[in-house]
Every structure is written in C-alpha cells, then in structure tokens.
Amino acid sequence: MEIEFVNIPMVVDVPYRFAAGSYMARFLIELRDNGKFFGIQCPSCGRVQMPPRIVCAACHIKNGEWIELSPTGTLMGFSIVHLPLTDPTTGLPHKTPYTYGIVRLDGAYSTIEHFIDVEPDIQKVRVGMRVRAILRPREERTGDLNDILHFAPIGEA
Amino acid sequence: MKRKVAIIGGGQTVHASRRHDVNQGEMVNEAVRAALADGRMTMDDIDAVLLGNMEFFEGCHLTDCWLADATGAYGKPGLKITTGGTVGATTIVAGAHHIASGLFDRVLCIGFEKQEEGDSSAILSGVAHPLYGRSLAGAAVGYFAMMGASYMQAFGAREEHSAMVAVKARQNARKNPYAHLKLDITIQDVFDSKMLAYPIRLLDMCPTSNGACAMILADEKTARERCEKPVWIRATETAHNEQFELNWRDVTNTRPIFSRVCAEKLYKKLGVENPATFFDVFEVYEPATWAELVWYEDLGLCKRGEGFHLIEEGQTEINGPIPVNPSGGVLSTNCIGASAMLRIWEAALQIRNDAGEHQVPKDINWALTTAYGGTNWTVMTALSKKWEDS
C-alpha cells in the first residue's frame, strides 16, 4: 500500500523594531546627514572600529574618541554572486550576477561589506583594489547601510 | 575537569534531503534509540537529557519541550542549547561539564535538524546584524566565497585545490552509510557544477540535510563498568570572535582570531607540540571547501599559506598521514544542529575502530574535532582511547 505523507504549508511573518543604540545611531546619522563615516578608537589598543560600539572587544574598556574616516579604502575580499539570494529587508532577491566585497576604509581597523561597482567578471576585480564609497543623494538617504549605493574602483579602467 | 568523562554510546540517523516519512520527534527518536542500543542502556539509565538544534529552523521554538517524548526527557532534568553550527559540540561540552561537576553520571546529548520543514536561508539571515550587513548578507556562501578569493590571492592556491577537497569529502562519504551526499565525483565534475558565488560552486558547498545524532556521556565509574570501549573527552575549548569583525574571511589577517586562539588553548591544556603527529584523525567543520584548507592552517597542521599543499599531496586522505574528515564531513552531510556532534561521534567511532568502511587504516589513539558557530566562533574537542595515568 502506498503511504501518503502529509505536509501542511505555514507562514510566519514577524515584524520587529531594532533599537540602534547611541553609538550606532550617531554613525548612521552622520552617514545620512553629512555623508561621513565615523569609527571609534580604543584608547588602549588604538584600533579604530566601525561601526562604533561601546566597548573594545579585545581590551574590554570603553571606546573613546570618534574618528572621521575616509570614504576611500581597499578591497580585502570579494565574490561574484550568481545565487539570487533574498534581501531579507525587502523580501526581494538581489539581481544576479553582482560583485560583492569587503572593504577596509583608510584609517579603519574594521571592514565593511557592500556591492562593488565593477562588471561581474573575475578579470575586472582583485583583492587590493582601491575603492571609494558612492552614497545615494542626501534626500534619498534614510539612515542605514543602503545609504551607500556601492563602492566604486578608483583610478582603474 | 574535576571528574573524567567518557563517551559510552552513540548513534545517528541516515541523512537525507527529504524525510517526509517522519516528524521531528520520530526522526530524533531514531538517533536516541540507536544511541541507547549502542550503549546497551534504556532511558531508565539516563540522568538528564540535553537537546541542541538551531533556533526556529523548523518553525518551532522550545523543541526540548515539544520533543520530550521522543528524546526521553519526560520526568528528567534537561535543557535546550542553541549556539549556531557549533550547537552539537556545545551540547556535548555541556553534557561533559554536568558529569565532570558531579551533578549527573549519565547524560544523553542529542543534536538534530529537520531543515526541509523550514527556510534555513531566511532564518539564517536573522543571524546577521539587523542594520549592519543583513540586507547585503551573501549568507554562508558569500562569506566562504570571500574566504576563497582571499586565500587564492594571498597564497597562490587555485580552484583545483578547493575542488580536491570537494572530491575527497564525497569519495569518503561513499564509504559512510549514514552520509547524505555519496557522490562518485571528479575535479572536473566540481568545475562543471553551478557557480553560486565565485569561487564557490555547488559542489564546494555542504548540502541541506535532515538528520539527528545522539550520544551518551558518562562518569568514569559508569564508563568502566558498562562500556567495553569508552572514548575519553580529554579537553574541550570554545573561543569567540569580535562582533562585526568578520576578519577571518581575510586570510592574511594576523590577529588572534577565534579558530587559532581556540586551537592554541586546547593544545596548551594537552601539551600538544605538533598537532599533525599528536592527533591520529581530525573531524573538522567545513561547510565549504575553502574552510577545510583554512582549518589545516588554523589548527597548525602546516604553516600559514600551505594548506593547499596538504590536499595536493594527498596528506589528508583517509589513508594519508593526517586524515581529515574520513566521514565525508559537513560537505557531505549538514543537518546543522547535529553537524558538530557528528564530528565528535565520527571521531569516537574512529577511536573505537567502529567506523566500518571509512575507518582510518591505522591505530587511532587521539582525535580532534572542530565546529563553526555563525562562522564566528568555534568549539573544539580532543578525544582519546586511553587515559594514560589511570
């Protein structure tokens, strides 16, 4: 006798509200209103951490000075994504293929990940490439990482 | 640890993409029954039950409550543990601590995941920071893709090297009756598989598996009285990385990241000078091929930047001098909540000489296991056949 398996489809839709906190809020407000990146420096190890946070994880002391960072940096790693992964903040898939990478802004210890504005071709992108953050126009910025459109290569065709 | 702790039994389900024939409890119970049979015990012999799985992957929280019948926890103390991909190992560590402290003598530890019932990718996106990285997260594929790109650029490895890891895993899995992807593949097959995120192709990644693993841990007295081949848990170690600093994807990073810190602490506890000769087998947590090459280096099996030579030279094959993942590893079977426990159980089987067709063909006295949690922390365990000073 053939066995019938029963599977019942269900959907869980979960709204939530994320409290950015004082450090992350200042970072996002500077990005939104002034188009600037800020990190915060640990008074002990000197690492400039971004996004800013209350405590240096390594030294476990309160982070001190706010440091303005350059919008330019270096590509530390990349991928060309072919899998249409869903953007969980919109529920829509990213358009593939696209280039995606981690960038270390000049003066920062930390890295940031974002789209890289190069053709999705491994001949056109390399680790060590110099890049600059390209922001959305002021009126379109809302105070999250999508205020950055992408990072674009500097001085390379 | 204050008291010695041994693995005195264990078992696993078969692992597959589809298990419509069972619900979560029925699947977990398969592993529990296998472990009890292996340990020649009944639930009456068990003092406490610890259950580990990912949060909400099956669309249900508090699985320790809902599965109390199937796990055997009815009327017994226990708790649920969730620590990411490490959860199976964390559950074993928690079980070992409960026994070492003297609170319990016999603890049943269970790890499971029935991924087909939920949307693992969607729930995993909730692991990323809501503001910093979630919308762009390339998921596990994206992280390991960047690790691969960084590795090739830094050390001169090629895509052939990661493909060798993919082939080794699936060829080993063919010898493991419980493994999910038992694939007779070649390097060319890996290259021909679909590109997901350069340089990661479909065959460079782990599958989405359903399955469960259960293990029985005991104090020394129980172990010596009731078990012919106890496997001793000699040391465990956990280390976290910094929030926001996913710096392990940049393989040139020289800071003391979680994986290297954890290995160093574990080796110090045991007095290990050369891990490649101290341990006879390794079961590492490699959701992607490149991760295995980086584990070789972070575990100190070779120098930095030389991991790809180990695979190229066949050193980590099942019959090589440094066997890594004779079971087929996570690349062949990834039922997330059980994956890290399977590393420990498979290592224990090797020490017991009970691994069957995928048994490493040499005397196995010491084994090392690793895990990834959110790929940003790890749990390691060291197991041995004998306790030399007793």
Side-chain angles (χ1 to χ4, degrees), chain A residues 16 47 79-80 82 109-110, chain B residues 134 196 198 242 245 255:
Chain A
Y16 62 97
R47 293 185 306 151
S79 177
I80 294 165
H82 296 264
Y109 165 78
S110 310
Chain B
R134 185 177 293 183
L196 302 179
Y198 172 85
E242 282 187 87
E245 305 295 346
R255 279 188 69 81

Side-chain angles (χ1 to χ4, degrees), chain A residues 43-146:
Chain A
S44 175
C45 68
R47 293 185 306 151
V48 178
Q49 297 158 43
M50 188 186 80
R53 62 206 77 161
I54 184 167
V55 164
C56 170
C59 307
H60 206 73
I61 57 173
K62 202 164 178 181
N63 278 324
E65 199 180 344
W66 288 76
I67 308 278
E68 187 185 340
L69 294 163
S70 161
T72 58
T74 303
L75 190 64
M76 305 306 291
F78 70 89
S79 177
I80 294 165
V81 180
H82 296 264
L83 196 63
L85 293 163
T86 302
D87 176 345
T89 61
T90 62
L92 301 171
H94 291 302
K95 193 166 171 276
T96 58
Y98 60 91
T99 308
Y100 169 75
I102 40 177
V103 173
R104 174 166 289 136
L105 292 183
D106 296 335
Y109 165 78
S110 310
T111 55
I112 181 169
E113 53 191 70
H114 221 287
F115 299 115
I116 309 298
D117 184 31
V118 293
E119 225 179 292
D121 174 351
I122 57 165
Q123 306 304 325
K124 304 272 168 69
V125 58
R126 60 177 180 81
V127 174
M129 192 178 219
R130 295 286 298 159
V131 293
R132 173 189 296 275
I134 306 297
L135 305 184
R136 290 179 196 280
R138 171 66 191 89
E139 61 277 14
E140 288 177 20
R141 298 205 289 259
T142 59
D144 72 26
L145 282 202
N146 288 315

Side-chain angles (χ1 to χ4, degrees), chain B residues 230-234 351 365-367 382-388:
Chain B
V231 174
W232 301 97
I233 299 178
R234 301 302 295 271
I351 286 174
N365 289 301
W366 281 89
L383 311 177
S384 78
K385 183 188 279 185
K386 298 191 184 89
W387 200 300
E388 297 80 355

